[in-house]
Amino acid sequence: MRAERVFAYGAAAGLVADQLFGDPRRGHPVAGFGRAAGAVERTLWRDHRGWGAAHAVVCAGGAAALGALAGRAARRSSVASVALTAVATWAVVGGTSLGREARGVGAALEAGDVELARELLPRLCGRDPQGLDADGIARGVVESVAENTSDAVVGALVWGAVGGVPGLLAFRAVNTLDAMVGHKSARYRRFGWACARLDDVAGWPGARLTGALAVLTGGRPREAARAWRADAGRHPSPNAGVVEASFAGALGVRLGGTLAYGGRVEHRPVLNAAGRPVRVEDVERAARLSRRVSWTAWGVCVGGRLWWARRRAAKAGAGR
């Protein structure tokens, strides 16, 4: 079976498995990678960018190498290759858990239990929930759903289409490393620099595809495109700005503003200033948009891979 069909069938099966089962409560492969990366960090940590770059190469490169070895072992059997791609896709995507956690916070808000919503919010994002009211929590959920649609689903599919199982595993490794060491704390300002920049590069195509699909599938294409053009570049993240602005326009809401992370207050630009403030019901709307974007991204990635394979075959035929 050709590689493009292996990806198409395997990625579809992995997405279905994610919808059926979500992430396991214990023994998740990404958690195992995180423990291994933590051990590498304890060995390599120095307050220096070069050592941080070595950490990124060892961890992300190791994940890609593991995927390549597994792919080589499975390539003699189409069934094994599809199964490997399915398992890798299920392991690295997190769309169902993203929607489940978002809806959990939304249900608490709808029941009027703001304290429970504050307790649940850190499962989605790292901001401090204690100073947030119900609408502020809902805004945090919508922003997290937008960003993680790219990070937890679309970006992985893009790199899976480009590099197969090694691409899937490497992207998740880079994204996990950024979450672990890529923030601007005193310990990681230099050591985590390489992981943060690598995550920006790896996330670039997935963020743009996520933004484009939010424009196309969100029901407000003009508003979403306008918010992307006007506001994405004002966000401190080159990738989160794209997806949050496009989701804001697609949902007709206003995102951004003041927020707190671990005692650090940030004043971020408002995205889609023409939109209304986020309300509790927008959590469900954001989760539904995330699912539409995710499955449409699978179709785009499969179509792109098939197109590229046919283009290469046509060039090879013309050169004979």
Side-chain angles (χ1 to χ4, degrees), residues 122-170:
R123 298 182 184 180
L124 278 170
C125 57
R127 68 188 60 183
D128 182 3
Q130 295 308 313
L132 298 176
D133 59 10
D135 290 343
I137 294 172
R139 191 192 82 191
V141 173
V142 172
E143 290 173 352
S144 183
V145 167
E147 183 174 1
N148 282 293
T149 299
S150 176
D151 288 345
V153 184
V154 180
L157 292 175
V158 168
W159 285 104
V162 172
V165 171
L168 286 165
L169 299 187

Side-chain angles (χ1 to χ4, degrees), residues 115-230:
E115 287 302 319
L116 177 59
R118 290 189 180 122
E119 181 181 334
L120 295 175
L121 184 63
R123 298 182 184 180
L124 278 170
C125 57
R127 68 188 60 183
D128 182 3
Q130 295 308 313
L132 298 176
D133 59 10
D135 290 343
I137 294 172
R139 191 192 82 191
V141 173
V142 172
E143 290 173 352
S144 183
V145 167
E147 183 174 1
N148 282 293
T149 299
S150 176
D151 288 345
V153 184
V154 180
L157 292 175
V158 168
W159 285 104
V162 172
V165 171
L168 286 165
L169 299 187
F171 176 80
R172 176 53 60 224
V174 168
N175 192 249
T176 303
L177 290 171
D178 179 60
M180 294 177 67
V181 306
H183 39 89
K184 295 181 180 180
S185 65
R187 177 178 175 84
Y188 295 126
R189 188 175 299 276
R190 293 185 180 88
F191 184 81
W193 178 86
C195 289
R197 299 290 77 76
L198 185 59
D199 184 66
D200 287 342
V201 173
W204 195 95
R208 273 72 195 167
L209 179 57
T210 302
L213 295 180
V215 172
L216 293 174
T217 67
R220 291 181 172 86
R222 291 184 180 179
E223 292 88 339
R226 185 184 304 117
W228 181 349
R229 289 194 305 268

Side-chain angles (χ1 to χ4, degrees), residues 269-293:
V270 173
L271 307 176
N272 192 38
R276 59 169 173 77
V278 176
R279 297 194 291 257
V280 173
E281 60 266 26
D282 295 317
V283 170
E284 177 62 29
R285 296 175 63 229
R288 291 179 180 177
L289 176 57
S290 175
R291 176 168 290 191
R292 291 198 300 273
V293 167

Side-chain angles (χ1 to χ4, degrees), residues 88-114:
T89 301
W90 166 79
V92 304
V93 302
T96 295
S97 293
L98 173 63
R100 180 186 299 142
E101 298 294 349
R103 289 184 172 100
V105 178
L109 292 175
E110 288 177 355
D113 194 342
V114 177

